[in-house]
Amino acid sequence: MSESILRKIQKLFDLANDADDEESKAAILRARDLMVKHSISENQIKTGGSSGDDADVIERAVMVSKMNDIIIRLCARVSEQFKCGCSFYKSGGKTNLFIYGFERDVDIAEATFNYAFASLNYCSKKYRKKLKILNKDIKMTEANYRVKSYSLGYIDGLSYALQNQAEELISEGMELAVITPVKVKEFAEDLKSVPLKVDFQDLSARSEGYQEGKKFTENIAID
């Protein structure tokens, strides 16, 4: 493994921590691209390249809060694009959200989910402000409905962008970098599936969110 690759990935993670929303998003996606192509885990970066990968499926808690089902959907969409899965359970008014898969894949999925969550949060707040500017008398229930529709559209657009990125890897002969391992699929079969109640149909808001979500993987070519 090239030490220069490890240094480049570490540089991207450092940039992601220090930069604003757009630069962070670009940095984490570029780091993901390199980690997938070279089969590098976050632990390998921290230890200077030594292998710490485990062949077993792990399940890692990534968020515990009073989240709505939209955030669970976001986690599920991101996880499936990185050979992982998402599980959750609700207890005491809070939702415990997990990502499961091989460790190196969970590292990448978790990092991308965190930035996707921050990006969705930022964009949905900006959209809500826009609604209030266009209609000062808009009721809170109507604004909430439109923001939720926007958020679902954003997740659909983000999924589209990540899928295109995965298809590019396949076209380069890297099918193994994007195909979910059998052991991960078998792990998912033992989990209870709970349908998510998220179906908001303000088509204009959803379309606007979709177009914004499609930008998630833009401008990731960082030297």
Side-chain angles (χ1 to χ4, degrees):
M1 181 193 308
S2 171
E3 289 297 321
S4 63
I5 294 296
L6 290 173
R7 286 196 297 271
K8 180 176 287 189
I9 294 173
Q10 185 59 64
K11 178 181 177 182
L12 288 165
F13 275 120
D14 290 341
L15 175 61
N17 289 330
D18 297 334
D20 62 21
D21 182 69
E22 290 301 316
E23 288 180 326
S24 291
K25 183 170 62 179
I28 196 66
L29 287 170
R30 179 58 178 155
R32 172 257 183 174
D33 216 23
L34 292 172
M35 290 171 76
V36 168
K37 289 181 179 180
H38 297 277
S39 297
I40 298 171
S41 72
E42 188 171 331
N43 185 57
Q44 285 175 274
I45 297 169
K46 293 176 180 177
T47 59
S50 61
S51 177
D53 293 339
D54 190 345
D56 293 329
V57 175
I58 68 167
E59 189 173 27
R60 181 185 300 164
V62 294
M63 186 177 289
V64 179
S65 69
K66 295 181 179 180
M67 71 187 79
N68 57 41
D69 288 348
I70 288 177
I71 303 306
I72 300 173
R73 173 171 288 198
L74 174 65
C75 185
R77 292 289 185 86
V78 169
S79 298
E80 68 185 11
Q81 293 295 334
F82 296 92
K83 307 193 293 184
C84 294
C86 171
S87 62
F88 67 94
Y89 71 88
K90 299 184 178 183
S91 176
K94 292 185 177 181
T95 299
N96 296 263
L97 190 59
F98 299 84
I99 293 177
Y100 60 85
F102 291 154
E103 184 174 10
R104 69 181 178 213
D105 298 325
V106 173
D107 286 340
I108 304 170
E110 180 184 13
T112 306
F113 166 67
N114 286 334
Y115 282 102
F117 174 74
S119 183
L120 172 60
N121 207 25
Y122 172 81
C123 291
S124 61
K125 285 181 179 179
K126 187 169 66 173
Y127 179 73
R128 185 183 291 275
K129 288 181 180 179
K130 175 183 175 181
L131 290 177
K132 291 182 179 180
I133 292 173
L134 294 176
N135 183 1
K136 294 181 180 180
D137 298 323
I138 189 170
K139 295 181 179 179
M140 182 175 292
T141 52
E142 176 66 16
N144 288 342
Y145 180 79
R146 292 190 185 182
V147 170
K148 288 176 180 178
S149 295
Y150 174 93
S151 297
L152 283 181
Y154 184 94
I155 294 171
D156 288 341
L158 176 147
S159 299
Y160 174 84
L162 290 177
Q163 182 59 38
N164 276 355
Q165 195 178 61
E167 289 175 358
E168 288 179 9
L169 290 173
I170 292 175
S171 69
E172 295 173 7
M174 300 180 187
E175 292 87 350
L176 293 179
V178 297
I179 296 175
T180 303
V182 173
K183 289 181 71 173
V184 176
K185 292 181 179 179
E186 291 175 345
F187 185 88
E189 292 174 358
D190 295 330
L191 299 174
K192 293 182 179 179
S193 177
V194 180
L196 301 179
K197 299 177 182 178
V198 282
D199 187 21
F200 304 97
Q201 294 300 323
D202 187 302
L203 297 182
S204 176
R206 193 158 185 166
S207 176
E208 191 166 343
Y210 180 81
Q211 294 303 321
E212 188 65 35
K214 284 174 64 177
K215 300 176 184 178
F216 189 73
T217 57
E218 289 182 0
N219 304 317
I220 65 172
I222 298 176
D223 295 328

